[in-house]
Amino acid sequence: MYSPPPSHHEQRHDDDVALWQAFRAGQQEALGALFDRYAQQLFAYGHHLAHDAEEVKDAIQTVFVHLWARRDHLGEVTTVKFYLYRSLKNELLRVAISARPAKEQVVEDYEPSIEQSLVDTEEEHQQAMRLRLSLAQLSGREKEIINLKYFSNFKIREIATMLQLNEQTVANLLSRALKKLRQSLLVSVLLWLLG
């Protein structure tokens, strides 16, 4: 009986599991391969959560150092990518909690510099403004779910586990966020056309 070859996703999952087993067996190169495979994705996800590039880089390094130090105590994982994302989120939360008494500061949304505004075309500037205003309508949880779903390619089930929510709640938040984005973008485009 013919069985189709494994998909790219299945092949990558199998490779991840093999690397995870090799790393747990003490092969430092396997941990390095996992780092090379996921560092950029982890940075993008972490930067969405923390907004401080250096803090995110430090947290990623800490996650991998802790993995190496604790390799003898780690078990099998179903999805290595999910485990790494969850570990990074926990590390960033730990850092945020420990830094809170030292400085209570609110991170403001990114605003382009004057130089960048001059370089951008008017149309690009308007599109960026509309998108920023639309994203500002979302709650932090909605932004996180949008990021995990569309930029990190996690399934609803995985997002629910990562955020410790049930799947229906994640689906509802995702639906509400998309509806807000659609409405906000539509209104801003209409105002731009009328203006």
Side-chain angles (χ1 to χ4, degrees):
M1 175 180 231
Y2 171 77
S3 61
S7 69
H8 174 71
H9 180 72
E10 290 168 339
Q11 181 64 43
R12 189 173 185 106
H13 172 73
D14 292 344
D15 290 348
D16 284 355
V17 170
L19 286 170
W20 183 264
Q21 290 169 345
F23 139 69
R24 285 179 54 228
Q27 293 181 24
Q28 198 168 6
E29 300 81 19
L31 184 63
L34 286 171
F35 179 86
D36 292 342
R37 180 172 286 185
Y38 287 110
Q40 284 186 316
Q41 293 174 47
L42 288 168
F43 179 78
Y45 174 62
H47 196 262
H48 167 74
L49 297 175
H51 304 293
D52 180 340
E54 292 306 313
E55 186 177 300
V56 174
K57 289 177 188 176
D58 289 346
I60 293 169
Q61 291 290 336
T62 301
V63 164
F64 280 88
V65 167
H66 285 166
L67 284 175
W68 183 253
R70 296 177 45 236
R71 68 188 178 280
D72 296 333
H73 306 290
L74 296 173
E76 294 296 325
V77 295
T78 337
T79 309
V80 175
K81 180 179 178 179
F82 172 75
Y83 185 86
L84 293 173
Y85 271 64
R86 183 77 178 256
S87 298
L88 178 60
K89 181 177 181 176
N90 289 340
E91 177 60 22
L92 287 170
L93 285 172
R94 187 194 65 72
V95 168
I97 289 168
S98 65
R100 192 171 290 153
K103 57 178 183 179
E104 288 286 335
Q105 90 183 58
V106 176
V107 178
E108 306 223 352
D109 288 338
Y110 169 76
E111 288 294 326
S113 66
I114 294 171
E115 296 83 12
Q116 183 178 351
S117 296
L118 293 173
V119 171
D120 290 342
T121 64
E122 183 61 29
E123 184 176 323
E124 289 171 341
H125 182 70
Q126 290 296 326
Q127 288 174 345
M129 183 73 77
R130 286 193 299 271
L131 184 57
R132 247 193 317 276
L133 290 172
S134 297
L135 288 172
Q137 305 297 316
L138 302 180
S139 69
R141 185 51 61 98
E142 289 169 338
K143 287 179 193 172
E144 186 174 11
I145 289 171
I146 291 281
N147 183 46
L148 288 169
K149 176 73 175 147
Y150 295 106
F151 297 103
S152 300
N153 299 317
F154 280 110
K155 294 178 174 62
I156 297 286
R157 175 179 35 83
E158 295 170 325
I159 296 170
T161 305
M162 186 179 296
L163 300 180
Q164 298 177 341
L165 298 170
N166 68 48
E167 291 181 37
Q168 188 58 52
T169 302
V170 171
N172 291 346
L173 285 167
L174 180 61
S175 175
R176 187 173 14 171
L178 291 173
K179 185 177 179 182
K180 283 181 186 177
L181 285 174
R182 270 191 231 95
Q183 289 174 341
S184 181
L185 286 170
L186 180 62
V187 167
S188 62
V189 167
L190 286 173
L191 289 174
W192 181 71
L193 288 172
L194 294 173

